[in-house]
Amino acid sequence: MTSSVIEGGHDEAIHEPSDLIVANMNPTVGNLSLPNETFLKAAISLKDEVVEVNWNRREVIDPTVYTGLLGTAFTCLRSYEVTGCHKDLVLSSEIIDTCATVARDSLRHVTFLCGRGGLYALGAVVANYMGDLQKRDLFLGLFMEVANERALPVGPEEGGFGMSYDLLYGRAGFLWAALFLNKHLGEDTVSKDILMPIIDAVLAGGRAGASDIKDCPLMYRWHGTRYLGAANGLAGILHVLIHFPLPSEYAEDVKGTLRYLISKRFPHSGNYPSSEGNPRDKLVQWSHGATGMAITLSKAAQVIHYFPKQIIIHNLSS
């Protein structure tokens, strides 16, 4: 198993990621703190383990970020961005090329996490880092083909063409892929002319879905269920929307929906239900629980005109 090079030295011993953290903790200190290098070593150790299992010993190619091999490519890219280890960048590129060979036949979704949008966006960014402008432009061209998917800008009044609005499989997931490209390659890489009709469709779908709910301007269904979490529900869709400059009317819809979402928090645990009307206080993970909500609320706190920070901080800490 190979490891990225950490500037200032390399630990030859093999450790579990948790061992690297525990070994540096002093339980007698009241305010526990760890040096950055400890976290970095633990992260690199975990990355190497992921590469070993998912790439070096691969048996099946699942070309998605969420559950598949492309997530390993994304991990290697993030490792490169932190450590500057070129080997991680090359490995990320190799994994992306492997995923690209099967993606056209196996990926029907357009999203970053589970579809072609993520493959082509990640491919373009990695190629750009490597200075391979020809490959970058190839992936960008493939991404723009996805952007021309007929269903993306179609709202509920035209029938929606069966495409959902969620982050995992729907329109919000494509918008996230576009945000990823614009962050790394420049704001106009995917133009507003492409993105705004899709945003309009997402907001129109949310208004239609909330027509029978008091005090909630936006609501969405996935397979008939009104999910609240990040993967298929409100938290994920709102998290994407608040990255865009919205007209005041739409911004008020987002703020009102955030307030509604916060009101659904379980008072005793601080967790959130996975879906509208679900009394079970069980799921805490990113996809259907409080962790996904926390990410959305933290972003809302950054975007001051969306929500007062005091309200967000109270709901994150209590």
Side-chain angles (χ1 to χ4, degrees):
M1 188 183 301
T2 59
S3 292
S4 305
V5 177
I6 303 174
E7 186 176 354
H10 181 69
D11 188 354
E12 296 294 339
I14 298 175
H15 298 286
E16 291 295 322
S18 58
D19 293 340
L20 293 168
I21 294 177
V22 172
N24 286 275
M25 292 180 66
N26 182 355
T28 65
V29 178
N31 183 20
L32 292 177
S33 62
L34 294 171
N36 290 341
E37 186 175 327
T38 300
F39 282 111
L40 183 57
K41 285 183 177 180
I44 290 172
S45 176
L46 182 58
K47 181 267 301 179
D48 288 340
E49 186 176 340
V50 168
V51 169
E52 177 65 25
V53 173
N54 292 345
W55 177 243
N56 295 338
R57 299 187 217 159
R58 66 189 181 279
E59 296 179 0
V60 178
I61 297 176
D62 170 2
T64 69
V65 174
Y66 191 52
T67 59
L69 193 54
L70 201 61
T72 304
F74 182 72
T75 301
C76 290
L77 170 62
R78 293 295 294 122
S79 179
Y80 165 76
E81 289 176 330
V82 173
T83 67
C85 178
H86 188 70
K87 186 175 182 179
D88 284 335
L89 187 63
V90 172
L91 182 56
S92 181
S93 179
E94 290 175 356
I95 295 172
I96 290 167
D97 288 344
T98 298
C99 290
T101 61
V102 300
R104 280 187 175 272
D105 296 327
S106 63
L107 292 181
R108 64 185 181 89
H109 298 295
V110 299
T111 63
F112 184 84
L113 290 175
C114 293
R116 288 169 287 140
L119 172 62
Y120 300 146
L122 197 56
V125 169
V126 170
N128 191 64
Y129 270 124
M130 295 189 70
D132 189 340
L133 303 187
Q134 184 176 1
K135 182 182 282 189
R136 179 201 65 187
D137 292 343
L138 171 64
F139 278 120
L140 281 176
L142 291 169
F143 185 88
M144 292 307 174
E145 288 182 14
V146 176
N148 289 323
E149 180 83 27
R150 187 179 171 209
L152 276 168
V154 174
E157 62 278 0
E158 293 94 8
F161 288 153
M163 181 179 286
S164 63
Y165 297 96
D166 63 309
L167 183 58
L168 211 55
Y169 300 115
R171 292 173 175 87
F174 172 81
L175 291 172
W176 188 255
L179 284 167
F180 181 79
L181 275 174
N182 286 353
K183 174 184 176 181
H184 287 277
L185 301 184
E187 287 188 10
D188 293 325
T189 302
V190 186
S191 71
K192 292 179 181 178
D193 291 341
I194 292 174
L195 297 179
M196 289 312 298
I198 302 172
I199 294 169
D200 288 341
V202 172
L203 289 160
R207 285 179 168 180
S211 60
D212 60 340
I213 305 177
K214 185 180 179 181
D215 300 325
C216 184
L218 305 172
M219 181 56 74
Y220 304 86
R221 293 178 185 267
W222 190 74
H223 287 268
T225 299
R226 290 167 167 166
Y227 285 100
L228 302 181
N232 304 114
L234 274 181
I237 296 169
L238 292 175
H239 185 237
V240 173
L241 289 175
I242 58 182
H243 281 76
F244 293 96
L246 300 177
S248 58
E249 183 181 0
Y250 285 158
E252 289 302 314
D253 282 350
V254 170
K255 285 195 286 188
T257 307
L258 281 167
R259 290 190 180 94
Y260 181 83
L261 193 60
I262 288 173
S263 74
K264 295 298 177 179
R265 191 182 65 161
F266 291 120
H268 298 295
S269 68
N271 193 24
Y272 286 80
S274 61
S275 59
E276 184 80 359
N278 190 336
R280 293 177 66 236
D281 185 2
K282 297 288 186 181
L283 305 178
V284 298
Q285 68 268 37
W286 169 83
S287 54
H288 294 296
T291 46
M293 304 289 183
I295 295 172
T296 296
L297 294 177
S298 296
K299 181 61 183 179
Q302 288 182 329
V303 188
I304 297 174
H305 67 278
Y306 274 117
F307 227 60
K309 284 189 177 181
Q310 297 90 328
I311 295 177
I312 299 295
I313 292 171
H314 171 75
N315 281 276
L316 288 175
S317 60
S318 60

